[in-house]
Amino acid sequence: MFSSIGNTIGNVFSFSLPMVIISVVVAVSLRIADIIKNKKTFCLYKELIALSFIIYILCLFQVVTFQDNNNISSNNLIPFKEMFRYNFGSRLFLKNVLGNIIMFLPYGFFTSYFLKEKKMWPILLLTTIASLTIETTQLMIGRVFDIDDIILNIIGGILGYFLHILIIKIGNICPKIFLAEWFLNTISIIFLIGLITLL
C-alpha cells in the first residue's frame, strides 16, 4: 500500500516538474533579491518550508486540473455515497479515498504552521474553502463535483493540523538545542544534500 502511495506521489511530482522548476526558480530569485535589497534576515529552514508550500500548491493544481479521459463518474451531492463504493485496500480506494485525504494533509499542516494556529476551527474553515473551490473549479472545466472529495479533503486538512500540534508538543519536550536555528538549518542542509544525491 505504501509503495503504491509513494509511486503516486512520485508520478505527480514528475508530471508537475516543468512547472515546479520554472516557478521555484522565479520564486527563489525574487526572494533572494528581496532579502538582499531589504536586508532581511535569512533562515534556511523557514525558507525551505515556504518553498515546500509553493511546490505543494503547484502539484495540487496539476492533480486537481488534470483531465482524466477514463473518468466516467458523475456529480455526487450525497455524502459518503462514492467513498463506500470501493473495496478497502483496492486501487480505487487508495486513489479516491486515501488519496484525497493525503492530498490535503500538507494543506492543514502548512496553514497551521504559517498562521501559528492552535485552534482547529480556522484550519477547518480554510480547508473547506479550498476544497470547495477546487470542486467547483473542476465542475467548470469538465470534471465532476463530488461532496465526498470535500469530506475527505477536510479530514486530510484536520490530520495536517493535528500533525502540526503533535510536532509542537514534541518540540516542547525536546532539548532546546533541537529547536535552535543553527541546528534546524544544519538539518535542512543535510536534507538538501540527501535530496540532491537522490535526484
Side-chain angles (χ1 to χ4, degrees), residues 134-186:
I134 287 172
E135 289 302 310
T136 304
T137 303
Q138 285 181 332
L139 187 61
M140 294 167 57
I141 63 172
R143 294 189 63 179
V144 298
F145 182 101
D146 191 345
I147 191 68
D148 283 359
D149 286 353
I150 296 176
I151 294 170
L152 294 167
N153 291 163
I154 290 172
I155 292 171
I158 292 172
L159 289 175
Y161 159 79
F162 282 120
L163 176 62
H164 179 253
I165 295 297
L166 177 63
I167 291 172
I168 290 176
K169 289 187 181 297
I170 292 172
N172 289 337
I173 61 174
C174 281
K176 296 300 180 186
I177 189 173
F178 293 142
L179 301 177
E181 190 171 297
W182 69 265
F183 180 81
L184 294 172
N185 284 336
T186 303

Side-chain angles (χ1 to χ4, degrees), residues 16-40:
S16 308
L17 194 57
M19 182 172 64
V20 167
I21 291 173
I22 294 169
S23 301
V24 165
V25 169
V26 170
V28 169
S29 59
L30 284 172
R31 181 59 180 155
I32 291 172
D34 178 48
I35 290 171
I36 294 172
K37 184 178 187 299
N38 298 305
K39 297 179 174 60
K40 292 185 177 179

Side-chain angles (χ1 to χ4, degrees), residues 80-91:
F80 309 109
K81 175 185 174 184
E82 289 295 313
M83 68 177 78
F84 287 136
R85 284 199 309 121
Y86 310 115
N87 294 323
F88 181 80
S90 66
R91 186 184 65 82

Side-chain angles (χ1 to χ4, degrees), residues 29-81:
S29 59
L30 284 172
R31 181 59 180 155
I32 291 172
D34 178 48
I35 290 171
I36 294 172
K37 184 178 187 299
N38 298 305
K39 297 179 174 60
K40 292 185 177 179
T41 304
F42 176 79
C43 180
L44 180 60
Y45 83 90
K46 290 181 179 179
E47 299 294 338
L48 286 177
I49 290 173
L51 190 60
S52 297
F53 182 61
I54 292 172
I55 294 172
Y56 163 70
I57 291 297
L58 292 170
C59 291
L60 182 64
F61 171 80
Q62 288 285 75
V63 169
V64 301
T65 58
F66 176 70
Q67 294 290 343
D68 186 358
N69 296 325
N70 296 321
N71 188 2
I72 57 173
S73 58
S74 57
N75 295 327
N76 172 39
L77 300 176
I78 303 172
F80 309 109
K81 175 185 174 184

